[in-house]
Amino acid sequence: MVRGRNRVVVVSNRLPFVFHKDPDGSWRVEPGSGGLVSALLPVLRHRGGTWIGWPGTPGRSEELERTLAQTSESAGYTLQPVHLDAEEVHNFYHGFANEIIWPLFHDLQSLCNFDPTYWRVYCDVNRKFAQTIMESASNEDFIWVHDYHLMNVGAELRALRCRSKIGFFLHIPFPPVDLFVKLPWRAKLIDALLHFDLVGFQTLRDRRNFVQCVRALKSEIRFQGKGQIMVAHVGKREVRLGAFPISIDFNAFMRQAATPQIAARAKELHTLLPKRKLVLGIDRLDYTKGIPHRLNAFHNLFARYPKLRERLSLIQVVVPSREDIPEYGELKTTIEQLVGRINGEFVRPGGWVPIWYFYGSLTRSELLAYYRAADIALITPLRDGMNLVAKEYCASSIEEDCVLILSEFAGAATQLRSGALLVNPFDIEEVADTLKRACEMDIAERRARMRRLRRSIREYDIFWWVDSFMHAAFTRDLSDFPAPTTSIEELAESSLPF
Ligand code: GDG
């Protein structure tokens, strides 16, 4: 198969490591976090190749270059930096990416700040990425561009006469046409995306939204097919459009969660919080993750069902993210005030505390221990591209007796609907009632549901995701694309209506 011979060049906004400068001038390197890094690290570790991205710190220096070279060597693949100055970071990353695309694509148009300078710098920075790619990649390489920060890179690469195959994967949702058309640069962005050879989305719903936007803004473009891959005819070129639900390294999670150290730490958590069910929420600090709604649902649960007090506690981990953006600081304050209010209302002095709140990053072992200890995962984003935490939780639930409560508006809901309890995160009474149902669910139903979840995530793991994306990029004849299996057909046919 062709894909085996091609070197992969992964391109994303950030490199998969964070570089900090200590006061003594030396550089400290930490592994990056977030969904994209979790998904792609196993891929480059297995295949080798190059990862191009911003090192996460403005400016450049010889020491940083040296640290990058050392990190590349130990990582087993090449790290190629794209250096950005402070103004570029402000306008491109904080501005266009996080004040326009992130809220708009998560259905939160009222939070958008459509500043024209943001767009101009976004174009400049995307050109800079394309120039670095041209310096590092050969025509035989497969260039795989990731996410909403880099939607113009395909067009910029073509302008530089790049002849490689270029794929793009959008990790966040693609919005419905009536939201997308609010974007002042809507036609330019659609044009840019149609310069890739393959554009991948998390779900069929996202692809459907994209196709509707193309139809609305570029009526001359014709489409063919409607299965997992469809084709847009753009002049003489063909652009493939597919849905590829991203996943995790299921076996790695399962193996690590099964180690005696993780089991012991999970047991310790239960000893610290005895005689109650543990409900777990883990999210990056972000207004799309629905943390205040979730806390309100917890309040509603204890107010309406007093008998459940002392029978369960929520462990809410909030991982710092985009801390320098004012809205994120305000969100943190809102969450902390809510936790204080709920605990203040229901706490039993010297005994039960309803919500255990932790603001900070967990090590991988701690994360796994929390996954293993939790009887119920409560994952209720208001909108989410996929949500890997949901899949990681199931993979780590080795006893198969836990319950996943999942938002209908997470991309993962389509795939996991037959095992998870789906909720509307805006409906706090429904979330509270579903928590009660999860608490009271008998072991046979819990096992049956968790087995279905684990089977699906094991079958469609991160390696399936990479293979199906690469295959969609390289196969000559689309009829050669694997016939949908039952579960994939399920993914295709059972898309939720929203
Ligand atoms: C974007 C899309 C899509 C979290 N806290 C810690 C930690 N994590 C890891 C989790 C998981 C990842 O970060 C979070 O992934 P999500 O998918 O839940 O969310 P986003 O970061 O918003 O990711 C999302 C994803 O891209 C992939 O396409 O699913 O919809 O928004 O892997 O394990 N890891 C460690 N400590 C923590 O405290 N070690």
Side-chain angles (χ1 to χ4, degrees), residues 203-478:
T203 66
L204 285 174
R205 172 193 173 278
D206 298 315
R207 188 187 62 184
R208 192 170 58 226
N209 286 345
F210 177 74
V211 168
Q212 281 169 359
C213 289
V214 178
R215 286 195 207 278
L217 296 163
K218 306 261 146 201
S219 54
E220 71 282 10
I221 290 177
R222 297 278 162 261
F223 293 93
Q224 206 186 339
K226 60 180 164 51
Q228 197 189 350
I229 308 296
M230 64 191 286
V231 176
H233 295 274
V234 185
K236 287 189 183 143
R237 285 188 313 110
E238 285 189 351
V239 182
R240 295 178 179 185
L241 308 172
F244 308 91
I246 198 166
S247 196
I248 57 165
D249 185 348
F250 180 93
N251 289 326
F253 270 94
M254 192 180 65
R255 255 195 326 270
Q256 287 166 16
T259 58
Q261 297 91 308
I262 301 293
R265 178 72 184 123
K267 204 165 161 208
E268 196 182 319
L269 281 167
H270 269 288
T271 318
L272 285 170
L273 306 168
K275 293 194 214 130
R276 76 196 68 163
K277 297 238 181 207
L278 298 184
V279 182
L280 179 67
I282 294 191
D283 313 82
R284 271 191 310 102
L285 178 69
D286 200 287
Y287 47 77
T288 61
K289 301 290 181 184
I291 306 169
H293 298 71
R294 185 181 313 158
L295 297 172
N296 283 325
F298 240 74
H299 179 272
N300 185 281
L301 175 80
F302 294 132
R304 282 167 58 230
Y305 303 110
K307 283 196 178 138
L308 285 180
R309 293 179 199 170
E310 302 195 55
R311 280 186 50 201
L312 74 169
S313 282
L314 171 68
I315 302 177
Q316 177 62 58
V317 180
V318 176
V319 183
S321 171
R322 305 178 194 170
E323 282 170 291
D324 30 10
I325 301 178
E327 281 81 12
Y328 286 69
E330 287 159 24
L331 175 65
K332 181 170 180 271
T333 309
T334 305
I335 293 169
E336 287 170 0
Q337 284 171 348
L338 267 172
V339 171
R341 199 173 328 140
I342 297 167
N343 281 344
E345 189 174 333
F346 296 114
V347 72
R348 296 280 150 83
W352 175 68
V353 178
I355 301 172
W356 290 78
Y357 169 73
F358 175 67
Y359 181 75
S361 289
L362 303 173
T363 62
R364 174 123 169 149
S365 315
E366 279 171 319
L367 181 75
L368 285 161
Y370 278 108
Y371 284 153
R372 250 202 99 168
D375 302 284
I376 299 166
L378 185 58
I379 299 174
T380 51
L382 308 179
R383 175 61 81 200
D384 215 334
M386 178 56 52
N387 197 294
L388 295 179
V389 170
K391 294 187 174 184
E392 292 167 3
Y393 173 70
C394 297
S396 312
S397 298
I398 338 206
E399 281 87 9
E400 301 191 318
D401 58 356
C402 303
V403 184
L404 171 66
I405 302 178
L406 181 62
S407 163
E408 289 166 357
F409 306 120
T414 317
Q415 181 184 353
L416 304 183
R417 66 191 312 195
S418 69
L421 300 178
L422 294 192
V423 290
N424 172 359
F426 296 95
D427 185 346
I428 58 169
E429 288 198 342
E430 186 198 33
V431 176
D433 288 340
T434 308
L435 267 167
K436 180 170 181 288
R437 182 177 163 204
C439 254
E440 292 164 355
M441 192 182 282
D442 65 46
I443 180 82
E445 183 177 353
R446 277 186 276 146
R447 284 242 152 87
R449 284 177 172 276
M450 191 44 80
R451 278 189 187 140
R452 283 202 290 275
L453 289 168
R454 285 167 58 82
R455 202 177 311 127
S456 171
I457 302 166
R458 181 188 291 121
E459 191 170 352
Y460 300 107
D461 67 1
I462 187 66
F463 303 107
W464 169 85
W465 178 73
V466 173
D467 275 1
S468 63
F469 190 89
M470 301 280 275
H471 191 46
F474 282 100
T475 187
R476 280 178 201 286
D477 176 4
L478 279 177

Side-chain angles (χ1 to χ4, degrees), residues 42-258:
V43 177
L44 274 195
R45 274 200 205 111
H46 278 243
R47 302 180 64 105
T50 299
W51 193 316
I52 297 178
W54 173 49
T57 169
R60 59 195 307 170
S61 70
E62 262 177 39
E63 293 95 299
L64 176 58
E65 298 295 332
R66 231 187 339 268
T67 312
L68 276 161
Q70 283 161 358
T71 315
S72 289
E73 208 164 303
S74 49
Y77 51 88
T78 310
L79 295 171
Q80 185 65 46
V82 178
H83 294 289
L84 303 179
D85 65 34
E87 211 179 316
E88 285 170 328
V89 174
H90 172 73
N91 289 301
F92 151 77
Y93 177 66
H94 295 305
F96 196 79
N98 289 335
E99 282 184 27
I100 298 180
I101 298 299
W102 180 265
L104 185 71
F105 281 33
H106 287 89
D107 303 351
L108 294 161
Q109 185 239 313
S110 59
L111 297 180
C112 293
N113 173 12
F114 294 121
D115 183 335
T117 309
Y118 290 171
W119 168 250
R120 274 195 290 278
V121 179
Y122 183 80
C123 295
D124 295 344
V125 169
N126 272 245
R127 197 167 311 122
K128 209 167 176 176
F129 268 81
Q131 282 156 354
T132 307
I133 297 167
M134 289 301 281
E135 287 158 20
S136 323
S138 74
N139 283 344
E140 289 70 44
D141 291 342
F142 176 55
I143 300 171
W144 192 355
V145 181
H146 289 266
D147 229 0
Y148 60 104
H149 314 85
L150 301 175
M151 291 185 282
N152 276 359
V153 163
E156 295 292 352
L157 281 171
R158 296 301 179 212
L160 293 171
R161 302 191 185 288
C162 172
R163 310 235 329 260
S164 310
K165 205 172 264 299
I166 320 171
F168 175 79
F169 186 78
L170 184 68
H171 289 256
I172 65 172
F174 198 90
V177 62
D178 49 348
L179 274 178
F180 185 77
V181 291
K182 308 257 164 80
L183 183 71
W185 310 279
R186 59 202 185 180
K188 289 181 176 140
L189 211 59
I190 292 287
D191 263 339
L193 284 167
L194 291 171
H195 277 84
F196 290 102
D197 295 302
L198 168 65
V199 181
F201 301 91
Q202 298 273 26
T203 66
L204 285 174
R205 172 193 173 278
D206 298 315
R207 188 187 62 184
R208 192 170 58 226
N209 286 345
F210 177 74
V211 168
Q212 281 169 359
C213 289
V214 178
R215 286 195 207 278
L217 296 163
K218 306 261 146 201
S219 54
E220 71 282 10
I221 290 177
R222 297 278 162 261
F223 293 93
Q224 206 186 339
K226 60 180 164 51
Q228 197 189 350
I229 308 296
M230 64 191 286
V231 176
H233 295 274
V234 185
K236 287 189 183 143
R237 285 188 313 110
E238 285 189 351
V239 182
R240 295 178 179 185
L241 308 172
F244 308 91
I246 198 166
S247 196
I248 57 165
D249 185 348
F250 180 93
N251 289 326
F253 270 94
M254 192 180 65
R255 255 195 326 270
Q256 287 166 16

